[in-house]
Amino acid sequence: MKKLLLVSLCFLMLSITQVFAQNRTVTGTVTAKDDGLPIPGVTVKVKGTPNGTQTNSAGKYTLNNVPTGATLVFSFVGYASQSVAAKGAVANIVLGVASGELGEVVVTTSLGIKHSEKELGYATASVSPKELTATAATNVANGLTGKVAGLAVYELDNSIDPNIAIVLRGNRSLEGNNNALIVLDGTPMPGALLSSINPNDIADVTILKGAGSAAIYGSEASNGAVLITTKKGSGKPTIVYENSIQAEKVAFYPKLQTQFGIYGGEPSNNAVTGFANYVPWENQQFGPAYNGQLVPLGVPLDSANGTQIMVPYKADAVSPIKQFFNTGITEQNDVSYSQGDAKNSIFLSAQNADRTGIVPNDKNVRDAFSVRGHHTDGIFSADYSVGYSRTTISTYIANNNQLGQYGITVPGSYVTTAGDNDLYSSILQLPAFLNLSAYKDPNSDQGNASNFYDAYAINPYWIVDDARRNEQRDVLLASLKLSLDPTKWLTLSYHLSDNYGIDQERYTKAEVDFTPYSIAAAGNDGGTPLDFATTGKSLGSVYDVYQYGDGTNNNPGYARIQGDALVDFHPTLSKDFKTDLLLGNSIYQEQDKYEITGSNALLVDNFYNVNTIGGQPVAAEGNYLIRNISYYGDLNISYKGYLSLEGTYRNEHDSRLSAAERSFSYPSAKLSFVPTDIIPALKNNDILSYAKFYGSLSKVGNININPYQINNTYSIANGFPYGSLGGLTASTENYSPTLKPEITTETEIGTELSFLKNRIDFNFSYYNSFDKNQTVTINTSTATGYSSELVNIGETQSQGYEFQLTGQILTQAANKFGWTLGGNFSINNSKVIALIPGSSGQLYLGDDEYAVVGKPFPMLEGTDFVRNAQGQVIVNAKTGYPTTSGALTEFGRTTPKYDLGITSSWTYKFVTLGAVFEYRGGDVVYNSIGQTLTFAGSSYYSASNGRQSFIYPNSVIQTGSTYTKNTNVAVQDGNYGFWQESQFTGTTSPWVTSGAFWKLRELNLTFNLDQFIKKTKYMKGLSVALTGRNLFIWTPKENTYTDPEFSDTGAGSSTRGYNDANELPGTRVFGGSVKVTF
Amino acid sequence: MKKYISIITAAALTIGIAGCKKGYLDQEVNPNSPSVTTPQYTLAGALEQAASIQEEDYPEYAVWGGYWCNANDYVPNTQLAEFNVTVSNGFSPDAWTDLYGNLTNFNNLQAISTGVAADGNFQAIAMIMKAYDFEELVDNFNNVPYSQAFNASKYLFPAYDTGQSIYNDLVKQLDAAITLIGASGSATNPGTSDIYYGGNMTNWAKFANTLKLRLAIHQSNLTTNAAQADLASTASIGYIDATSEADAQPGYTDALGKENPFYVTFGSDQNGNPVFGYLYYVANVVAVNIMATYNDPRVDYFYAPLNGVIVTDQLGATHTNPQQASPIGTGLLQSPEQSAPVFSSYESFFLQSEAAARGWISGGTAAAETYYKDGINASFAALGAGSAATYEAQVNVAYPTTGTIDNQVQAIITQKYISLNGLFNLEAYNEFRRTGYPVLPQNPASADVAANSQTLPTRLPYTIDELDNNPTSLAQQGVINIFTSKIFWAK
C-alpha cells in the first residue's frame, strides 16, 4: 500500500529524469518481496547514465537503448535498491523492503504530505501495521504502547470499555488537554473514536512528537499528533481472513490476608481472650483468627426462627475475591478485500470483535465495516473512505459512571448513603471464609438483599445482575479527497471529512423490596439499610442518554466536520533546489448535543421507562458548537537533498474566543542537515552509513477552553421551577471575554545516525517547551461573588530527552537466525515556572494533585504523620499511635519521568518470536484501594502483625523538645483500634507507593507458513500466531495493591496516579490467531 | 478536466463562502443557560436559597447548643463531639460559601434594579436580604469581606471588614431600604416571585425593622450600639408579628429536589424513606432536660417519642451502636410541603420583649411580658402544640416582672432557646453566646474523653477555601482559636 502512496512522488522524480535514446530495449515487472505484488513507480536506470524510466501501475517497465553489458539499477523509496546486469530482453526484479535505511524512508507528515525523512527538521516515528497488530489488540492505542520514545499510552483501567490516554512528551497544560491529536487519513478526528477503528485497517501510524512537527495542524496539535493512514487497495484481488481468540485473566490481585474473620468494632470483646468477638453480619475483618469451627453467618433467613446459615470458620482455598472474576474471552473475525492498479483501487473490510469481560455479564461487541477507494483519471484523482462501526457494551454501573459529569447520580447500588459501595469495593470486603458461590443468585434465599449476611455491604452479584449500563455507539468516519494536477508544479486538492458518533445509553437499577422481617431488624443486624426502613423499598431507576458527538458520553465530546482546501506549488526552479509551497485553508465545526432523561422512582418493578414514574423526571440537555477557520502556509526548501529548511505559519479564528481575541497566529521553522550526503569523508562510509542533524523552533496556540466560557450565565436555582414559578441563580465560576489561547513554545534538536550499513540506527532528540498563558480555573474567595474564575495565568516547562536504538544483531540472510533488538527511552522533566500572582503558590488540579511553583507537576500531596526533624514518626506516649499532620506533604509527580521500551524479535526460518517490554518510573501513585482494603481489614498489610500490638516502626516519643526512640510503647490495640480507629488508615502517606513497573507488554510467536502452501492454487499466504499482552508485571515490593498505570482520572484529565476501587484488578491477555491470504 | 476544476472550485467556494458568512464564528451566546435574568427570577431563586441556608446549614450549632446529638453511626463522626473543627481536618462550614453565593444573587439583584424606578421594590428587598445574610456571616465568622466583596475584577483577594463596622453599615442599608419602600409606591410589585410575602412591601418594611432590632439586641453587651440608637427612627413601622412572619413558600412539594429544605435534609426523601440527617441526629439530653424543668409539652413535637418516651443521647457519650434515641419530631417535620421559616414571629416577639425590658422600645415591663407570652404562643402555634395557657401559668415559666433585667433576659432567652430548636440553630447559639443563657452544661461540654475542650466553641473556624484562596487577607485576622476567639458582640 505504501507503494501506491508513493507513486505521486515518484512521478515527480521522473519528470526530472531525461530519457536518451540508445541501442536496446529491456522490459520486465518489478514486484515486492513482502507481498509479491507489483510495484508501480519504481525507477529503473542504466547505471552511470541518465537513461531511465519508471514502472507503470502494473509494475511493468520498458527501457529503451540499453547498452549491452550495462547494469540496471532499480530503486524505489522504502525498498532496498537492486542492481542487475542487463543480460537479455527481460529482467524481472523482486525488491525487498529497506529496513533501517533511514534517509530513504518516506514519512507521511502533516496534512498527509509525504516527505523524505532527510528533509524533516523534527522527530517522528512510525509504527508498522505488523507491529501494531502483533498481539491482536482491539484498540489501536494498545498496539502502540512501548514502541516509540516519548509516546506514553496510558491504559487507565481495564473495564470492558477502557479509558486510554495517548500522551506525547509529558504534560504541558496544567488543567487542559494533554492528549495527542489523532489524525485519520489527513484530517483530525475525535480521539475517543479510536476505539471504533479496526486496527487491521491501518496501513501506517506516524507519530509527530512535538508541537513543532504538528504546528501546521494548529492549536489542536500542540501536544503532538498521531497520524493514522488506512489501507488502500492494491495489486491483484486479495482476500485476507483473520481470526484471533484471546483469554483475559486477572493478573494482579491485591495482597490479601486469610487469617481473620469478621468483626467491625462492636463493643463486645471476648471476656477471656480480650480479643474481638466474631460478629456474623459484619463487613470488616477484624475478628478472631480462623479456627475451622462452624459459625453462624448473617442473621436467620426470613424470620427470627428461620434457617441460620452455618459455615466453617476457615479461609477458602481460593479467596472469594478471586472467585468472583471470570476469564474474559475476546474473539475477533476479520475479513478484507483489496484490489487496485494505478488508476483504481478498492479496499473493503469487515470485522467483528466480541469480548466478554472478567466481570460476570460484561460484554463489548464491535462490528466494523469500511470501504476505501481511489480513482485517477488524467490529472484528476479522488480518494474516498467510509467506515462504520457499531459497538454495544453491557456492563455494571460503576461508581464513577459518566452521568456524574452532568450532576446526575445514578445509583450503582441500593445503599444510597455509602458512596463507596460499588462493585470492586464490595468484593474487596468479602472475608476469606465466605463461600461466594452461595450468593451467585441475588434472588436466592441467601443472596437476596434482605437476607444477605452483610449488613453494610451489598451482594456484588446484585450489582452485576441488577445495576446495568447498556450502551450502543454508532460511529461513522467518512472522508473524500479530490485532487487535481493541472501542471507539473501545481496540485490543487480539497479534502472533506465527517466523523461522528451517536451514543445511546440506558442505565437501569432494579427495585429492591425488603422483607418485613429485615425491615424490623433494620440497622441492627439485618440486611436492610436504614434508609429504606420506612417503605421497605428502594425504587428502580432508569436513565437514558442520547448524544450526538464523538460516540462517547463525554461532556462535551465532539462530532467533527472539516473541509481543507490546499494549493501545493512544487516547481522545479533549479536542479539543486527542491521547493514546495503549500497554502491551505481549513474550516472545521465540532458539535455535541446530548439529552438525558431519567428517574429514581420507577412505579413498576422491572419496567424501565421514564413514562411510568412517581414524581417528576430528571431531564438535562446540552448543546456545544465550535467553529474554526484557519489559513496556513508551509514552505519547504531542500538543497541537493542534504540541507532542508521548512517554515510554517498559521492563523486561526476560533469561535470559543471573544471577537477581540479570536484571531491568533504562530510560526515555526525547522532545519535539517545530512552530512553523509555531502562531506566526502562520510560518503559511502562503512561505519557511519547515514547521519542527520536537525533543529526546530516553533510556537503553537492551544485553546483550552470549552465553548461559552467567556460570558457569565445564570442557571436554574436549586429546586426551581416550583409550578410556574421560575428562579435563577448566578453561576459560581467567573468567565471573562479577555481569555486568550495558551501558547506553547518549543525548541527541539536531534540527530539520526545509522551505522554498519544501516544495521544500527540511533535517534536522539532533545526538546524544551514552555507553555504560557495557561487557561486554568483558580478557586477564588467566594466573597468575590464567585467560587472560581477561569483565567490565563502561569507557565510550565516540559523538557526532555528521547533515545531510540535499533540494531539488527544477527541478520537472517547471513546467519539463518535473525535477531533485531530495539530500545527506546525517554526522560521527561516537567516544572511549574509561575502560577497565580499574589497567592500561596499552588494550584489544585484535582484528585489530591497540585501544581506547585518550582516543582514537577502534577504533584501528589496529602497528609503524613507528625514527624521529628529526622523524619521519624512521633507516636503518642500512651497509645503508641501516630498522629496525622495537618499540613500537606509533597509526595512526588504522578506522571512517569522515565519510560523505557525494549522490543526484540528473533527469526529462525519461518518462525518469529517478538517481545515488547516496557518500564515506567520516577512517579508516585496514591493507592486509595489500600485504604479501602485496610478499612475492610482484608489487606495482607493489616494482618502483618497478626493483629497483635506492635511498636510502630522507627517511631519516637516526644518529651518536651526531645525525642527518644520508641522501644516500649506498643500500639494500644493492634487490631481494630489501630487499623480503624487511629489516624493511621485515614492518612495519605501509607498508601503512596512508587508508580514504577516493568511489563511484558507483548509476546508473540508467529509461524509464517507461506512456503508450505505454495502449491495451493487459491491460498497465497498462511500464518499462525500465539499472542500475549501484559503477560507479566513487576512492581516494587511496597505496591501490593494494583497496577500503577491505572488511574481514576479520565483520559482528558491532566492528573494521573490516583487509583481506587473504580478500577478492576490488572489482567493479562493471551491467545492465538490465524491469518489466511487468498 | 474542466469539469473537475469546476467541481473543486465550487466545493471550495461553498465552504469558503459559508466560512465567510458574517457571524459564523460568533458563538458567544451560551445555548444552555441564559446570560440574562429578570429581577423576578433572581429574587425567587435567592429568597429560596436564603431559607435553605437557614434550615440546612447549622446542625453543628444544634449539636453544640444541646438540641441534637450526632449518634447514629457505627464509625462515629468525632469532629463535633470532640470540637475537632479545624480547617486542616476537613471541617469546613457550609455557611461561608452558601451565604456569599446567596449574597451574590442579592447583590446582582440590587445592581440590576438600582436606578430603575420600576424596580425599586426589588432593590429594597435585595438590600434587606443582603443585610440579613451579612448579619448571618458576621454571627458565624465575625470579621468578613464586606466593602471589597463582589468585585472580582478589582479585588481578587478581598480584605476583611470588622464585624462591628459591617453591623453599623447594615443599619444604614436597612434604613435606606425602608425609605425606598416608602418612596416606591408605583413600582412593580414583586408578586409571586416574593416567596416570603407575595409582594406585601409593608411586611418587608417590618422585616427590615425587625432585623435592625436583632442587630441592636445582639450588641447589648457593647457600650456603643449604633443599631440601638437608630431604633426610634423607624419604630413606627412596627415589627414582624403573627401575620407578617417571613416564611419561604415557593410551592414546596413531595418531589425530588422540591421538598422543603429542612424536611429533605432532616426528614425523608420523596419516596418516603428517611434521609441521612434523620437517622443521624437524635434528641440531646440538654434541651430535653431544660424542657423537662418546665413540663414543656413541645418536647414531643421537637422529638419523636419512642414507645411513648423521649429517649435522649448525650454529646460524645459512648453507647451501644446504633443508639436508639428519639429522632427529630413531627412539630418540625410536618410535611415536605411545609413552608420554611426565615424570620419567625416568635423570635420577633422575644426580640421585642427584650427590647421593651431594656427600655429600647416603648411599653416597659408590661409590654415585655406581653411580647414574652406572644413569643411562647407563636412557638406553640408553629409546632401545632395546642394552647400554651397551662404552660405559661406555671410559676417557673411566668415572666419575672419583678426580677432584675438579668432575670428577665434569662427568662426571655430560655424561652427563645426552646422555641428556636431545630429551625434556628444559629440564632439560638448566638443568644447563648451573647447572654450565657440558657445555662448549658459547660464542664465537660462533651462526654467524649478525647474532646479538645471542656467548654463549648465560641465560634467556627474560617473555611479551608478561604485559607487556600485568600490567605493574605485571612492572615490579617490573626490566629483564630475556636474556644477563645469571639464574635464581637459575644459575652
Side-chain angles (χ1 to χ4, degrees):
Chain A
M1 316 74 277
K2 224 176 197 173
K3 288 169 294 198
L4 212 76
L5 296 173
L6 302 173
V7 169
S8 54
L9 194 75
C10 296
F11 277 124
L12 279 172
M13 291 158 89
L14 179 67
S15 64
I16 308 165
T17 317
Q18 299 293 315
V19 182
F20 294 96
Q22 276 191 25
N23 20 26
R24 186 176 131 201
T25 302
V26 179
T27 60
T29 308
V30 181
T31 50
K33 194 180 176 187
D34 54 342
D35 55 6
L37 300 175
I39 316 175
V42 175
T43 304
V44 187
K45 268 180 139 182
V46 179
K47 198 173 181 180
T49 75
N51 182 16
T53 183
Q54 284 190 324
T55 57
N56 67 10
S57 58
K60 291 195 160 60
Y61 70 93
T62 306
L63 188 59
N64 299 320
N65 301 321
V66 181
T68 316
T71 302
L72 296 182
V73 181
F74 295 82
S75 59
F76 187 69
V77 257
Y79 286 82
S81 298
Q82 223 178 100
S83 304
V84 293
K87 284 173 186 164
V90 178
N92 292 328
I93 301 297
V94 180
L95 290 184
V97 178
S99 55
E101 272 184 48
L102 274 176
E104 300 307 319
V105 173
V106 166
V107 179
T108 308
T109 61
S110 303
L111 304 165
I113 299 159
K114 290 162 213 68
H115 280 291
S116 159
E117 206 278 336
K118 284 180 181 177
E119 299 169 8
L120 301 180
Y122 47 85
T124 64
S126 67
V127 178
S128 72
K130 213 171 168 184
E131 294 171 280
L132 201 62
T133 57
T135 52
T138 51
N139 189 322
V140 182
N142 295 111
L144 294 173
T145 189
K147 291 169 187 168
V148 175
L151 173 80
V153 177
Y154 292 93
E155 296 173 14
L156 297 174
D157 64 73
N158 65 336
S159 67
I160 196 74
D161 180 25
N163 246 318
I164 293 177
I166 302 179
V167 177
L168 284 162
R169 293 184 170 173
N171 279 8
R172 270 164 296 273
S173 188
L174 288 171
E175 290 187 352
N177 181 18
N178 284 295
N179 291 353
L181 177 73
I182 309 295
V183 179
L184 181 68
D185 289 331
T187 44
M189 66 171 253
L193 292 186
L194 212 53
S195 66
S196 308
I197 294 178
N198 175 359
N200 292 315
D201 280 4
I202 292 171
D204 176 53
V205 175
T206 301
I207 318 289
L208 305 182
K209 291 182 184 175
S213 54
I216 201 72
Y217 279 115
S219 54
E220 298 170 293
S222 62
N223 302 308
V226 175
L227 312 184
I228 298 173
T229 309
T230 53
K231 288 179 180 169
K232 305 282 189 294
S234 69
K236 288 179 193 158
T238 306
I239 294 172
V240 178
Y241 169 76
E242 189 167 1
N243 169 280
S244 75
I245 297 179
Q246 293 176 314
E248 180 180 14
K249 279 182 95 79
V250 178
F252 193 159
Y253 283 107
K255 209 169 171 190
L256 305 162
Q257 64 95 356
T258 53
Q259 296 171 262
F260 300 96
I262 47 180
Y263 162 84
E266 284 77 3
S268 62
N269 286 351
N270 187 301
V272 182
T273 62
F275 207 77
N277 277 330
Y278 170 80
V279 179
W281 53 81
E282 256 299 337
N283 61 327
Q284 290 179 297
Q285 298 164 40
F286 293 101
Y290 292 126
N291 58 12
Q293 289 169 1
L294 276 184
V295 289
L297 184 63
V299 294
L301 306 184
D302 297 317
S303 66
N305 43 18
T307 317
Q308 172 68 62
I309 305 287
M310 299 294 290
V311 294
Y313 194 55
K314 73 179 211 295
D316 278 341
V318 179
S319 115
I321 297 174
K322 296 183 182 176
Q323 288 173 37
F324 182 82
F325 292 102
N326 288 344
T327 299
I329 300 287
T330 303
E331 175 168 4
Q332 296 179 73
N333 279 292
D334 197 285
V335 61
S336 68
Y337 171 84
S338 155
Q339 182 188 5
D341 54 35
K343 283 200 163 177
N344 291 292
S345 74
I346 188 156
F347 180 88
L348 300 164
S349 79
Q351 189 205 32
N352 168 271
D354 191 319
R355 178 178 173 210
T356 58
I358 51 168
V359 172
N361 303 350
D362 270 13
K363 260 183 107 56
N364 183 336
V365 180
R366 179 177 71 203
D367 291 297
F369 305 93
S370 72
V371 53
R372 276 180 281 281
H374 169 83
H375 175 75
T376 305
D377 185 357
I379 60 163
F380 171 76
S381 67
D383 291 275
Y384 63 90
S385 164
V386 181
Y388 165 76
S389 73
R390 167 170 288 186
T391 308
T392 53
I393 295 163
S394 179
T395 183
Y396 64 95
I397 297 179
N399 210 22
N400 61 343
N401 67 74
Q402 293 284 75
L403 285 187
Q405 63 187 337
Y406 306 102
I408 295 171
T409 311
V410 51
S413 93
Y414 50 80
V415 187
T416 50
T417 50
D420 60 353
N421 255 316
D422 67 334
L423 183 71
Y424 194 28
S425 61
S426 291
I427 298 167
L428 293 177
Q429 296 182 26
L430 301 173
F433 74 108
L434 191 74
N435 173 20
L436 195 65
S437 59
Y439 297 90
K440 269 200 169 144
D441 178 1
N443 299 312
S444 68
D445 272 3
Q446 215 174 325
N448 74 41
S450 294
N451 285 338
F452 186 60
Y453 81 95
D454 189 328
Y456 312 107
I458 66 175
N459 183 350
Y461 287 104
W462 181 88
I463 300 178
V464 297
D465 263 35
D466 292 326
R468 303 294 302 167
R469 176 170 79 86
N470 283 289
E471 182 175 8
Q472 176 178 310
R473 291 177 191 158
D474 291 289
V475 170
L476 189 75
L477 303 165
S479 78
L480 174 69
K481 186 178 180 184
L482 305 171
S483 313
L484 214 49
D485 293 271
T487 69
K488 280 180 183 173
W489 52 268
L490 179 66
T491 306
L492 302 170
S493 61
Y494 186 73
H495 194 163
L496 186 67
S497 67
D498 190 8
N499 303 322
Y500 69 89
I502 289 169
D503 175 70
Q504 298 178 76
E505 281 182 279
R506 168 162 279 197
Y507 294 76
T508 55
K509 191 216 79 172
E511 178 175 318
V512 178
D513 297 293
F514 297 96
T515 59
Y517 165 67
S518 95
I519 296 165
N524 190 3
D525 49 12
T528 308
L530 281 160
D531 318 42
F532 308 113
T534 307
T535 62
K537 266 183 203 299
S538 159
L539 293 178
S541 314
V542 67
Y543 284 89
D544 280 304
V545 180
Y546 178 91
Q547 185 166 20
Y548 169 83
D550 66 1
T552 68
N553 182 4
N554 291 328
N555 177 29
Y558 296 102
R560 180 176 181 115
I561 182 164
Q562 174 162 347
D564 282 280
L566 295 172
V567 184
D568 189 358
F569 300 95
H570 36 80
T572 312
L573 299 175
S574 116
K575 226 169 69 181
D576 294 336
F577 284 97
K578 188 182 156 206
T579 49
D580 192 330
L581 173 66
L582 184 90
L583 297 174
N585 161 249
S586 153
I587 301 174
Y588 72 82
Q589 171 172 301
E590 290 191 321
Q591 201 184 346
D592 171 68
K593 179 182 177 61
Y594 68 80
E595 284 169 351
I596 301 170
T597 52
S599 167
N600 286 337
L602 292 180
L603 283 185
V604 182
D605 188 12
N606 271 316
F607 185 73
Y608 299 103
N609 189 308
V610 81
N611 290 331
T612 315
I613 60 167
Q616 297 185 10
V618 172
E621 171 192 345
N623 303 280
Y624 300 90
L625 187 70
I626 295 171
R627 282 173 172 164
N628 183 297
I629 302 178
S630 301
Y631 304 93
Y632 45 87
D634 182 353
L635 177 66
N636 277 278
I637 300 172
S638 170
Y639 178 69
K640 285 188 171 173
Y642 64 81
L643 188 65
S644 304
L645 176 72
E646 182 183 5
T648 69
Y649 188 80
R650 184 174 171 117
N651 170 252
E652 284 193 46
H653 301 259
D654 195 284
S655 69
R656 283 165 288 184
L657 302 168
S658 68
E661 307 290 345
R662 187 169 295 154
S663 168
F664 57 101
S665 308
Y666 40 85
S668 79
K670 299 135 196 171
L671 187 70
S672 77
F673 173 59
V674 183
T676 43
D677 277 11
I678 180 69
I679 300 171
L682 296 175
K683 270 185 170 176
N684 300 320
N685 186 315
D686 276 352
I687 294 167
L688 181 67
S689 335
Y690 172 74
K692 179 177 103 169
F693 298 95
Y694 61 86
S696 76
L697 280 170
S698 59
K699 199 171 145 184
V700 185
N702 182 11
I703 304 170
N704 263 327
I705 64 175
N706 284 330
Y708 324 124
Q709 287 189 323
I710 50 175
N711 292 310
N712 288 328
T713 58
Y714 296 89
S715 54
I716 295 287
N718 188 32
F720 282 82
Y722 291 95
S724 59
L725 178 67
L728 293 175
T729 183
S731 53
T732 56
E733 180 158 1
N734 194 15
Y735 295 140
S736 159
T738 59
L739 281 178
K740 296 175 179 64
E742 294 182 7
I743 297 291
T744 305
T745 315
E746 188 182 73
T747 316
E748 177 178 350
I749 53 166
T751 180
E752 294 177 4
L753 305 170
S754 251
F755 301 97
L756 306 176
K757 295 189 172 168
N758 300 317
R759 272 180 70 176
I760 298 172
D761 293 337
F762 173 75
N763 294 358
F764 164 77
S765 52
Y766 165 82
Y767 61 90
N768 190 7
S769 73
F770 294 88
D771 196 351
K772 267 187 202 168
N773 254 356
Q774 297 253 346
T775 313
V776 295
T777 297
I778 55 165
N779 289 322
T780 55
S781 167
T782 43
T784 62
Y786 302 92
S787 53
S788 60
E789 188 167 347
L790 191 64
V791 290
N792 285 128
I793 51 130
E795 181 177 358
T796 61
Q797 180 184 18
S798 175
Q799 173 237 52
Y801 307 87
E802 291 156 353
F803 305 87
Q804 190 134 1
L805 184 68
T806 313
Q808 287 172 278
I809 295 176
L810 297 169
T811 55
Q812 200 178 4
N815 307 285
K816 285 191 179 175
F817 181 80
W819 182 17
T820 307
L821 184 65
N824 61 75
F825 181 54
S826 62
I827 303 173
N828 172 267
N829 296 304
S830 75
K831 191 166 121 181
V832 179
I833 293 177
L835 275 179
I836 319 161
S839 186
S840 55
Q842 66 177 26
L843 175 73
Y844 185 55
L845 305 176
D847 304 300
D848 287 355
E849 289 165 44
Y850 294 77
V852 186
V853 173
K855 299 282 171 64
F857 72 98
M859 172 67 73
L860 181 70
E861 292 188 17
T863 51
D864 190 13
F865 302 111
V866 177
R867 295 175 191 268
N868 66 5
Q870 285 74 44
Q872 293 161 304
V873 173
I874 304 166
V875 295
N876 184 300
K878 283 181 195 150
T879 63
Y881 293 155
T883 325
T884 306
S885 160
L888 292 176
T889 301
E890 291 171 3
F891 294 114
R893 61 184 279 175
T894 57
T895 51
K897 180 182 169 85
Y898 307 106
D899 194 338
L900 171 66
I902 295 176
T903 58
S904 184
S905 93
W906 297 271
T907 312
Y908 181 70
K909 290 191 172 169
F910 58 91
V911 185
T912 305
L913 177 67
V916 179
F917 288 89
E918 187 176 14
Y919 166 84
R920 287 185 198 168
D923 57 332
V924 296
V925 170
Y926 171 59
N927 299 284
S928 138
I929 188 185
Q931 225 160 9
T932 307
L933 283 161
T934 303
F935 160 81
S938 50
S939 69
Y940 178 81
Y941 185 37
S942 71
S944 50
N945 286 296
R947 298 281 165 82
Q948 300 300 312
S949 288
F950 59 94
I951 293 171
Y952 194 88
N954 194 23
S955 61
V956 290
I957 288 172
Q958 183 174 12
T959 323
S961 58
T962 59
Y963 302 96
T964 46
K965 187 159 175 53
N966 177 20
T967 52
N968 57 345
V969 184
V971 297
Q972 194 174 294
D973 173 9
N975 194 27
Y976 188 83
F978 179 77
W979 299 102
Q980 165 72 57
E981 285 186 320
S982 87
Q983 295 182 352
F984 178 82
T985 305
T987 307
T988 314
S989 57
W991 320 111
V992 177
T993 65
S994 156
F997 64 80
W998 269 105
K999 278 187 186 180
L1000 174 52
R1001 287 282 189 191
E1002 296 189 353
L1003 189 66
N1004 65 83
L1005 183 63
T1006 308
F1007 301 88
N1008 185 343
L1009 306 176
D1010 290 0
Q1011 54 177 298
F1012 302 108
I1013 53 147
K1014 265 188 176 162
K1015 282 164 195 156
T1016 322
K1017 199 176 174 189
Y1018 301 105
M1019 216 190 265
K1020 286 180 196 148
L1022 177 66
S1023 71
V1024 178
L1026 296 173
T1027 59
R1029 270 186 293 120
N1030 290 335
L1031 288 179
F1032 295 100
I1033 174 169
W1034 297 269
T1035 59
K1037 226 175 183 180
E1038 56 178 5
N1039 181 3
T1040 59
Y1041 307 110
T1042 192
D1043 186 335
E1045 192 176 355
F1046 290 167
S1047 187
D1048 192 38
T1049 59
S1053 168
S1054 63
T1055 58
R1056 293 280 175 257
Y1058 185 103
N1059 59 58
D1060 60 20
N1062 284 318
E1063 294 83 46
L1064 299 170
T1067 57
R1068 63 170 60 101
V1069 176
F1070 52 92
S1073 65
V1074 181
K1075 184 176 178 180
V1076 192
T1077 310
F1078 299 99
Chain B
M1 176 181 122
K2 261 186 186 156
K3 193 174 66 186
Y4 302 132
I5 294 182
S6 46
I7 289 172
I8 292 180
T9 315
L13 278 178
T14 314
I15 302 294
I17 288 165
C20 297
K21 237 193 288 174
K22 213 175 174 217
Y24 180 77
L25 291 171
D26 285 322
Q27 299 296 326
E28 294 188 25
V29 178
N30 187 330
N32 304 312
S33 6
S35 53
V36 289
T37 181
T38 65
Q40 283 82 358
Y41 290 146
T42 297
L43 179 66
L47 288 178
E48 205 285 326
Q49 282 173 345
S52 294
I53 295 167
Q54 187 59 251
E55 305 214 342
E56 291 177 350
D57 277 13
Y58 301 115
E60 62 268 37
Y61 291 126
V63 170
W64 294 336
Y67 292 150
W68 298 343
C69 277
N70 52 333
N72 202 339
D73 202 22
Y74 274 86
V75 184
N77 177 340
T78 51
Q79 280 186 341
L80 292 181
E82 295 177 4
F83 312 121
N84 194 11
V85 292
T86 56
V87 285
S88 56
N89 75 355
F91 180 88
S92 207
D94 296 332
W96 180 283
T97 303
D98 291 353
L99 283 170
Y100 273 110
N102 188 227
L103 276 162
T104 302
N105 283 315
F106 284 121
N107 195 61
N108 284 347
L109 180 63
Q110 188 182 359
I112 60 173
S113 54
T114 299
V116 182
D119 290 342
N121 287 328
F122 292 100
Q123 187 191 343
I125 297 174
M127 291 164 75
I128 295 166
M129 288 309 294
K130 274 178 75 177
Y132 180 85
D133 279 358
F134 266 116
E135 191 224 348
E136 216 170 310
L137 272 170
V138 171
D139 295 348
N140 275 302
F141 303 104
N142 202 27
N143 300 347
V144 298
Y146 180 75
S147 51
Q148 293 187 359
F150 316 117
N151 194 351
S153 56
K154 200 168 174 189
Y155 303 112
L156 200 56
F157 308 102
Y160 285 50
D161 295 79
T162 64
Q164 184 152 24
S165 69
I166 297 169
Y167 256 51
N168 290 346
D169 195 63
L170 296 183
V171 173
K172 291 178 195 160
Q173 298 296 322
L174 288 168
D175 281 346
I178 290 168
T179 311
L180 204 56
I181 290 171
S184 52
S186 62
T188 307
N189 189 286
T192 54
S193 69
D194 172 7
I195 60 167
Y196 295 176
Y197 292 130
N200 184 330
M201 295 311 293
T202 313
N203 283 351
W204 272 111
K206 287 184 180 174
F207 185 108
N209 205 32
T210 316
L211 188 56
K212 208 165 88 177
L213 180 60
R214 190 203 269 173
L215 293 172
I217 293 286
H218 274 186
Q219 299 177 86
S220 67
N221 294 329
L222 305 180
T223 46
T224 37
N225 187 339
Q228 186 223 324
D230 194 60
L231 286 178
S233 72
T234 53
S236 61
I237 287 169
Y239 300 97
I240 289 173
D241 58 21
T243 63
S244 54
E245 183 165 286
D247 291 335
Q249 185 49 276
Y252 291 126
T253 177
D254 192 10
L256 181 64
K258 297 191 189 300
E259 306 97 324
N260 167 286
F262 185 84
Y263 195 86
V264 76
T265 312
F266 302 106
S268 49
D269 65 17
Q270 82 277 14
N271 296 326
N273 287 313
V275 297
F276 175 76
Y278 183 79
L279 302 166
Y280 195 64
Y281 294 107
V282 294
N284 187 319
V285 68
V286 174
V288 172
N289 279 354
I290 289 173
M291 280 188 267
T293 324
Y294 306 108
N295 299 315
D296 199 320
R298 285 175 290 180
V299 70
D300 288 347
Y301 296 85
F302 289 124
Y303 309 107
L306 298 176
N307 300 320
V309 289
I310 301 295
V311 184
T312 61
D313 190 9
Q314 188 187 358
L315 180 59
T318 52
H319 37 58
T320 318
N321 279 320
Q323 172 68 7
Q324 294 292 318
S326 292
I328 298 165
T330 52
L332 300 180
L333 294 170
Q334 294 175 0
S335 81
E337 293 89 13
Q338 72 194 23
S339 54
V342 175
F343 211 143
S344 69
S345 60
Y346 40 88
E347 190 195 336
S348 173
F349 287 128
F350 288 123
L351 286 169
Q352 292 176 68
S353 177
E354 187 176 338
R358 291 182 185 277
W360 294 357
I361 61 171
S362 61
T365 309
E369 183 178 12
T370 308
Y371 290 134
Y372 176 77
K373 283 184 176 171
D374 286 347
I376 296 171
N377 291 341
S379 170
F380 271 69
L383 292 167
S387 166
T390 319
Y391 175 74
E392 285 165 5
Q394 297 180 98
V395 177
N396 57 356
V397 175
Y399 188 75
T401 44
T402 55
T404 62
I405 178 67
D406 190 56
N407 293 146
Q408 294 182 16
V409 168
Q410 180 172 7
I412 295 165
I413 299 304
T414 302
Q415 281 305 321
K416 194 174 185 178
Y417 171 83
I418 294 171
S419 66
L420 295 176
N421 187 325
L423 295 174
F424 294 99
N425 303 320
L426 167 64
E427 188 55 22
Y429 206 66
N430 287 344
E431 295 297 67
F432 162 70
R433 288 182 289 181
R434 173 174 68 94
T435 64
Y437 298 127
V439 179
L440 301 177
Q442 284 285 293
N443 198 8
S446 167
D448 191 324
V449 289
N452 277 342
S453 163
Q454 300 299 303
T455 61
L456 290 167
T458 52
R459 60 160 291 169
L460 292 180
Y462 285 108
T463 64
I464 184 95
D465 292 344
E466 202 58 12
L467 182 67
D468 286 343
N469 307 323
N470 196 10
T472 314
S473 304
L474 184 64
Q476 287 162 3
Q477 304 315 307
V479 177
I480 303 298
N481 180 322
I482 64 160
F483 301 105
T484 55
S485 302
K486 289 179 177 177
I487 311 298
F488 77 96
W489 42 248
K491 200 173 175 179

